[in-house]
Amino acid sequence: MPSTPDRLPRQVAVLGAGGRVGRAVTAALLAGEHHVTAVVRDPGRYDPPPHPRLRVVRGDARQPAPLAPVLRTTEALVLAVTPFTAPPPSFDGFDPDYYAAIVAGLADAWDHPHRRLVAVGLTATLRLDSGGAVMDDPDLFPPALTPYAEAHARQLPALSATTLDWAILAPPGGFGTDPDPRRPYRLLREPLSRTQVMAALSHGTYARAVVAEVERPTVRRERVAVVPG
């Protein structure tokens, strides 16, 4: 059942729940009394604390067909998948449409204007007030990781081609370096200053922003940055 403006989504799936961001978002959703389906590629390596409103299923965001039973009952979706657990030594063979293909697959299986999708963005895709994107500035982003940034950038037009009620929330460059999970945050539209895009932010604070946009959307069909408040 899709969520409507006067009803909070209660059935939420997190694709990529096994990563650091996915874990933080899952915990924040459970704290908000949602029923969460954590979708992970290898449940054997995923060991969250037991919770009566948490269900763990095996799945791959690149193959949405086997996830049809999950998607059928999902009112909101958090897309927190990543192809790497750490920067790879080489991008040989990496598909630049990695994220665009995931979005296209989800659109075929789940597209509906009242279904909410919040995607975890990447700092490198954000536009700077000095011109260009963060990924174009070698002082802000390692050029060797450009293929990964470009794959993330392709997610925006892919989502724009769907009818989903979506938002991309991009964390700043200091993501994960702030120890305070309760720090206030702000959502900023592009372009941003160099100071803003390189700010420190905890995974817990970012997760709160994601949950807020799942529950009471303020960002619709656009990409914004999450920065300290």
Side-chain angles (χ1 to χ4, degrees):
M1 175 180 178
S3 61
T4 58
D6 59 350
R7 180 181 179 276
L8 295 181
R10 289 304 179 198
Q11 301 290 342
V12 185
V14 180
L15 300 183
R20 286 175 294 181
V21 179
R23 287 175 182 269
V25 170
T26 298
L29 285 165
L30 291 171
E33 300 187 355
H34 297 278
H35 292 263
V36 181
T37 300
V39 180
V40 295
R41 287 192 291 265
D42 184 0
R45 300 178 61 184
Y46 183 59
D47 56 348
H51 195 287
R53 285 184 278 104
L54 175 64
R55 174 175 60 147
V56 180
V57 301
R58 181 189 302 274
D60 189 329
R62 295 169 297 178
Q63 300 174 9
L67 292 174
V70 171
L71 297 174
R72 192 176 302 120
T73 59
T74 294
E75 299 168 85
L77 185 67
V78 177
L79 187 56
V81 298
T82 178
F84 314 111
T85 56
S90 168
F91 281 94
D92 291 345
F94 176 62
D95 182 3
D97 284 320
Y98 177 86
Y99 287 102
I102 289 174
V103 168
L106 289 174
D108 288 340
W110 195 66
D111 204 350
H112 192 290
H114 292 301
R115 281 177 167 157
R116 181 67 167 164
L117 184 149
V118 179
V120 177
L122 186 70
T123 313
T125 63
L126 295 170
R127 290 183 292 108
L128 294 165
D129 57 11
S130 57
V134 173
M135 72 174 83
D136 300 325
D137 189 330
D139 293 330
L140 299 179
F141 188 75
L145 299 182
T146 298
Y148 179 53
E150 290 178 341
H152 254 286
R154 294 187 184 191
Q155 186 177 56
L156 180 62
L159 282 168
S160 297
T162 75
T163 64
L164 291 169
D165 178 17
W166 60 268
I168 298 176
L169 302 188
F175 194 29
T177 62
D178 183 354
D180 185 359
R182 302 304 308 173
R183 197 178 303 281
Y185 67 85
R186 294 183 294 159
L187 303 180
L188 295 183
R189 288 171 170 81
E190 304 168 78
L192 281 77
S193 70
R194 292 167 64 93
T195 299
Q196 289 168 334
V197 299
M198 296 310 293
L201 193 78
S202 71
H203 290 111
T205 297
Y206 177 83
R208 285 168 36 227
V210 170
V211 173
E213 284 300 316
V214 166
E215 294 179 342
R216 302 287 188 189
T218 63
V219 178
R220 291 199 135 102
R221 299 182 63 82
E222 66 177 319
R223 179 180 61 204
V224 300
V226 183
V227 301

